[in-house]
Amino acid sequence: MAGPILFPTYPTGSHYFLHRLRASDERKTSVKLNVIVVGAGVGGLSTAIALKKKGHNVIIYEAASVLSEVGAGIQVPPNSTRILHTWGLETQLQKNSVQPESLIWRRWQTGKIIACTKLNPHLRNWLGAPYYVTHRAHLHQVLHQAVIDLKIPIKLSSRISKYDMERPSILLESGAQINADLVVAADGVKSAARHQLCGNSFNPQTFNLAAFRATVPVADIKANPGTAWVAESHSLNLWVGDNRHVMTYTIAGGELFNMVLTHPDSTHPNTWEQRDTLKEMKAQYEGWDPALTQILDMVTETLKWPIQMIDVPDIWCHKSGRFAILGDAAHAMLPYMALGAAMAVEDAAALAECLDFVTSKERLDHALDLFQAVRIPRVRKVHESSLCHGTILHFPDGQLQEARDAAMQPEVEGRHFAASPNQWSDPTMQVWVYAYDVIDDVRKVGNERFSL
């Protein structure tokens, strides 16, 4: 039976093989827009790349005087990797990234393996896109270079004083006003654009949690007989305990061992003294697995960061159809599924695809309505999954912890399982998180709305 392929609307993996057949068809837009992107983080740079590849004119405005990305490691899952590869960034991403074999949960006190998620080559073979871990600065550098190659201007030291969301335009602190057809604000968790668009009901929340970030040379870990086994593979190792966990993996092409150590902290970040954090970090994990504490003894400096999220607003776009927020400005989430940056990349690809559905600038509001219709439900589910996974990770020793560990035992033993408390392994989660294709989603919903 020949004929057009019917793409299912029901949950199934039967059609994933077709994703590989779809070329990176950079369909050029029928309406060429002048777009201002505010913010040069992962979300802003990704948005600029996606829009420029569609044929739009883009300028980025960034408040900082120098482009840099704070932090160390970042995880880049297949739903994000697939998009980055279609932008032609595969070779550059692979240069200093690591493709880990698995994500291993370990008991806090002994290091005993209690769960194991298969990452590469499993996800790469299944979805045609790998699971990377890399240095955040490397990902930022790859995106920045793509912006340069596409000849997208970046205006540094350009702090926004006010947005005109109707016109639209931005007013810089210097007094300069710049007009555009569309303004996209990717100005982070403390977004001034979100505040102006949505009011002050979506301020960052901390949940009384913080994280220490640190790196150690892998060579130092390999040189210590008590820790050498940790560096034998590129797998992620995750120690979990009562209201604390330690996520670790290698970055910088396998040269650095990255650590994110989450712990309770009810104090305000303004009161923190970074000079005291090294001692505080080691005290927080006293009595944990000896291999882990030996690695912590190798740390010479650490930074302490607040863990913040916002409630996802109902509105990301102004009624004028000329202004939108995305990335952390729209949905900063807890890091317990490592999907925050991936959602920003999805946002960027989705927005660019949505704009293909309009035939005149006067109909931009229809494109932004489509953008919200696709992105808000998706992001809310991911946002909720991150919150719920944090609860699962942080059970104190006892009945809940024992039941969780027992339910994860099949994945440790290599037996078949249909569900797991480990959301990185859970088959249902993997399908709707990692196999998700944002371009397909936009086209499906857009075709229904625009009757194309």
Side-chain angles (χ1 to χ4, degrees):
M1 176 180 173
I5 297 172
L6 298 177
F7 284 87
T9 58
Y10 54 88
T12 178
S14 61
H15 284 57
Y16 292 145
F17 73 97
L18 293 173
H19 293 166
R20 302 191 185 199
L21 300 179
R22 191 187 76 205
S24 55
D25 52 344
E26 295 169 3
R27 302 189 301 178
K28 297 297 182 180
T29 183
S30 60
V31 180
K32 192 171 184 177
L33 302 175
N34 295 316
V35 185
I36 289 172
V37 174
V38 177
V42 170
L45 295 178
S46 295
T47 300
I49 293 166
L51 293 173
K52 183 67 174 183
K53 283 183 168 290
K54 290 289 190 178
H56 300 291
N57 295 319
V58 185
I59 301 179
I60 301 170
Y61 289 84
E62 165 59 43
S65 58
V66 177
L67 273 191
S68 63
E69 186 66 24
V70 179
I74 190 171
Q75 300 181 44
V76 189
N79 52 306
S80 173
T81 302
R82 186 184 302 112
I83 297 167
L84 297 170
H85 284 190
T86 64
W87 291 343
L89 305 181
E90 181 174 3
T91 300
Q92 294 303 315
L93 279 170
Q94 289 182 348
K95 280 186 178 179
N96 289 302
S97 300
V98 172
Q99 297 185 35
E101 294 91 351
S102 56
L103 191 163
I104 300 169
W105 291 40
R106 297 184 179 277
R107 179 154 169 75
W108 68 275
Q109 201 170 26
T110 63
K112 176 186 175 184
I113 297 175
I114 57 174
C116 182
T117 302
K118 294 179 181 178
L119 297 178
N120 297 301
H122 169 67
L123 293 178
R124 184 176 66 238
N125 292 341
W126 171 29
L127 301 172
Y131 195 115
Y132 291 124
V133 291
T134 191
H135 200 294
R136 184 176 287 270
H138 173 61
L139 175 61
H140 194 261
Q141 179 185 7
V142 169
L143 294 171
H144 182 207
Q145 186 59 50
V147 164
I148 293 172
D149 293 343
L150 289 167
K151 297 180 170 54
I152 301 171
I154 302 179
K155 306 293 186 181
L156 300 176
S157 302
S158 299
R159 189 173 297 279
I160 309 301
S161 173
K162 188 178 181 181
Y163 297 94
D164 184 332
M165 299 181 182
E166 289 277 359
R167 182 171 295 200
S169 67
I170 58 172
L171 180 64
L172 303 181
E173 287 188 350
S174 65
Q177 180 176 297
I178 303 98
N179 300 324
D181 298 314
L182 176 66
V183 173
V184 182
D187 54 343
V189 64
K190 298 179 180 179
S191 170
R194 181 184 67 243
H195 181 79
Q196 187 175 332
L197 179 66
C198 306
N200 58 7
S201 299
F202 299 94
N203 292 330
Q205 308 166 48
T206 65
F207 284 87
N208 293 328
L209 291 168
F212 300 108
R213 296 179 180 269
T215 58
V216 171
V218 168
D220 292 353
I221 295 173
K222 289 182 175 179
N224 185 328
T227 61
W229 62 268
V230 179
E232 287 176 355
S233 77
H234 289 311
S235 293
L236 294 86
N237 285 282
L238 171 67
W239 283 262
V240 295
D242 181 7
N243 214 20
R244 291 169 176 80
H245 76 262
V246 180
M247 173 66 85
T248 70
Y249 48 87
T250 56
I251 58 174
E255 297 297 318
L256 287 176
F257 189 76
N258 178 70
M259 291 180 283
V260 181
L261 304 97
T262 302
H263 60 283
D265 194 313
S266 59
T267 60
H268 195 280
N270 290 346
T271 67
W272 296 350
E273 293 287 348
Q274 292 292 345
R275 66 173 179 267
D276 300 329
T277 56
L278 186 60
K279 181 180 179 181
E280 182 186 351
M281 178 192 73
K282 294 178 181 180
Q284 284 279 358
Y285 298 93
E286 186 176 350
W288 282 48
D289 179 12
L292 175 62
T293 56
Q294 286 181 65
I295 294 173
L296 295 185
D297 285 338
M298 301 176 192
V299 176
T300 57
E301 61 178 348
T302 183
L303 290 175
K304 183 176 174 181
W305 292 86
I307 294 177
Q308 297 180 317
M309 60 160 273
I310 64 167
D311 292 328
V312 180
D314 296 326
I315 298 172
W316 295 9
C317 305
H318 191 265
K319 62 183 179 181
S320 65
R322 300 300 184 101
F323 185 91
I325 59 173
L326 53 69
D328 278 356
H331 51 66
M333 61 187 66
L334 296 179
Y336 302 135
M337 283 296 293
L339 287 168
M343 290 301 101
V345 174
E346 284 187 6
D347 289 346
L351 179 61
E353 196 68 24
C354 287
L355 294 176
D356 279 353
F357 283 91
V358 297
T359 54
S360 70
K361 294 178 183 179
E362 288 68 33
R363 291 176 61 85
L364 277 177
D365 58 325
H366 295 277
L368 296 195
D369 284 346
L370 173 60
F371 175 64
Q372 291 187 133
V374 170
R375 293 308 296 156
I376 292 177
R378 162 76 172 170
V379 164
R380 280 190 168 146
K381 289 176 183 176
V382 173
H383 198 278
E384 180 187 4
S385 76
S386 300
L387 187 61
C388 291
H389 210 207
T391 302
I392 295 169
L393 287 170
H394 293 161
F395 286 150
D397 286 355
Q399 185 177 14
L400 285 174
Q401 166 263 320
E402 291 171 359
R404 177 200 67 192
D405 295 358
M408 297 189 298
Q409 193 60 27
E411 61 188 78
V412 177
E413 298 173 355
R415 293 188 281 120
H416 173 74
F417 58 94
S420 175
N422 172 9
Q423 290 190 166
W424 287 297
S425 285
D426 181 71
T428 304
M429 288 289 296
Q430 287 194 342
V431 166
W432 76 261
V433 173
Y434 299 141
Y436 175 81
D437 190 311
V438 70
I439 303 300
D440 282 353
D441 199 10
V442 170
R443 290 179 182 177
K444 178 174 72 70
V445 178
N447 287 337
E448 292 170 355
R449 286 189 165 219
F450 290 85
S451 300
L452 295 179

